[in-house]
């Protein structure tokens, strides 16, 4: 996996994930300061948290299509420049409307990241290593969330919350320069071993994108990813405010404590792909998709139980412990959604289908934070929001068992000469 040619790709994709979540979670860490400075209610803050996902979800799909058409390297370069500039622009916000507009544009910039990572992994790694590579490269995201608390929190206390957004903008622009200079879109020649799962008969014409967008396997994988993102965005946006408002912690203490779930998430995401590839080797006769489902269902269910009970416990220690465990199990599934797309979709459509799945999944980022803010305003507590997040993930994990199956491409459905099973 760690060949000389692949190493810059792995390192820079990993660092892109770190910067992505450093930028994304900065707002939730600075939220107590921003809410006070701009005089925002919990409902307004929830809408601002959700506004990010309006631009983000749309450009999940458009970014995936761009990576197929223009290449993952160029797509990710442009995305990093755009989101870094609008991350810095948060410091210019002067009210509810201006901050919402900036966050929408910021989300548009971040939207292509996951689909382009998936496309780069598809370009550079053989099928037997893809889940591991996806998990490893994406594991930078929780690490970014972990360092966001101390960096943003301490800078906000010592100087101003606005300074932290300018700093992380500069970091992103430096990464973009390195990416453009040191990484190629594809290797000079196809590297790696034979695929673990290939078409029985290779199609002689490209399978249309619309075929995949109607498949239950794609739609219900997206639904499970939606539940994943609902929990993730609940944690990403509201958990710091929960610790301050409901648990009575200071911003300084909150900034340190939020590191704990992120560290466990980093371990989970880095290990999840390796776990999936290991399970596949052990149950190879049942197929690669079965091994993905084993990890996805069991870990998403465990995450759901932990986040649900976190809303019922009475002590801060138990709440933080359960949230940390929930994030750990959640991130164990983080590479699986993308690996399923790799397993069931032909290479020409990987970026677009992955982007479509990510688009549907990230509508959770639009609904979840706003709904959480509404629940908190109406009930005065976060308990209902915790239970809703857990219940949704339980339902999604059961749906995966029932509906995620290998995709069979029939001659009557697409214009190819043979029946193909993915």
């Amino acid at each position: 996996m760690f060949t000389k040619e692949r190493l810059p790709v792995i390192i820079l994709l990993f660092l892109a994930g770190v910067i992505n979540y450093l930028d994304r979670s900065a707002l939730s860490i600075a939220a107590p300061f921003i809410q006070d400075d701009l005089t925002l209610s919990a409902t307004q803050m929830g809408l601002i948290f959700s506004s990010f996902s309006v631009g983000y979800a749309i450009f999940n799909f458009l970014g995936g299509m761009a990576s197929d058409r223009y290449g993952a390297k160029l797509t990710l370069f442009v995305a990093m420049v755009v989101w870094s500039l609008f991350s810095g622009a948060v410091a210019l916000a002067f009210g509810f409307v201006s901050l919402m507009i900036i966050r929408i544009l910021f989300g548009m910039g971040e939207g292509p990241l996951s689909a382009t990572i998936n496309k780069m992994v598809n370009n550079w790694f053989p099928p037997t290593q893809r889940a591991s590579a996806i998990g490893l490269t994406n594991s930078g995201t929780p690490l970014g969330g972990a360092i966001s608390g101390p960096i943003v929190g301490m800078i906000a206390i010592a100087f101003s919350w606005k300074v932290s957004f300018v700093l992380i903008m500069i970091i992103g622009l430096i990464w973009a320069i390195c990416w453009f200079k040191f990484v190629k879109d594809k290797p000079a020649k196809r590297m790696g071993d034979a695929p673990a799962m290939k078409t029985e008969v290779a199609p002689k014409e490209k399978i249309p994108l619309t075929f995949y967008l109607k498949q239950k396997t794609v739609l219900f994988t997206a639904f499970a990813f939606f539940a994943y993102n609902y929990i993730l965005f609940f944690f990403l946006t509201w958990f710091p405010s929960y610790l301050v408002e409901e648990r009575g912690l200071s911003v300084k203490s909150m900034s340190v404590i939020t590191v704990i779930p992120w560290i466990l998430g980093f371990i989970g995401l880095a290990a999840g792909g390796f776990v999936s590839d290991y399970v596949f080797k052990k149950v190879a006769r049942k197929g690669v998709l079965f091994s993905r489902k084993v990890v996805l269902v069991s870990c998403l269910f465990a995450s759901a139980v932990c986040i649900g009970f976190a809303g019922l416990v009475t002590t801060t220690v138990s709440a933080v412990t359960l949230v940390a465990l929930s994030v750990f199990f959640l991130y164990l599934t983080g590479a699986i959604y993308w690996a399923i797309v790799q397993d069931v979709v032909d290479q020409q459509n990987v970026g677009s289908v992955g982007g479509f799945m990510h688009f549907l999944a990230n509508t959770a980022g639009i609904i979840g934070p706003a709904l959480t803010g509404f629940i908190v305003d109406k009930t005065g507590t976060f308990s209902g929001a915790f239970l809703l997040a857990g219940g949704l993930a339980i339902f999604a994990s059961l749906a995966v068992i029932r509906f995620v199956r290998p995709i069979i491409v029939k001659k009557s459905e697409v214009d190819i000469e043979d029946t193909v099973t993915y």
Side-chain angles (χ1 to χ4, degrees), residues 164-180:
S164 59
F165 287 93
V166 175
L167 174 62
I168 56 183
M169 174 188 71
I170 294 171
I171 294 172
L173 294 176
I174 292 172
W175 180 95
I177 294 170
C178 294
W179 174 258
F180 196 79

Side-chain angles (χ1 to χ4, degrees), residues 39-106:
T39 318
L40 303 173
S41 67
T43 298
Q44 286 179 312
M45 203 66 210
L47 289 171
I48 288 169
F49 284 141
S50 292
S51 66
F52 161 84
S53 291
V54 174
Y56 184 69
I58 294 171
F59 274 77
N60 290 156
F61 189 26
L62 296 180
M65 294 179 69
S67 70
D68 281 336
R69 184 167 183 177
Y70 302 109
K73 175 183 175 177
L74 179 61
T75 302
L76 186 51
F77 170 77
V78 173
M80 177 66 79
V81 171
V82 171
W83 98 53
S84 296
L85 292 175
F86 282 104
S87 177
V90 171
L92 303 176
F94 53 85
F96 171 69
V97 175
S98 63
L99 184 54
M100 178 174 284
I101 292 172
I102 290 169
R103 291 296 288 183
I104 291 173
L105 295 171
F106 170 67

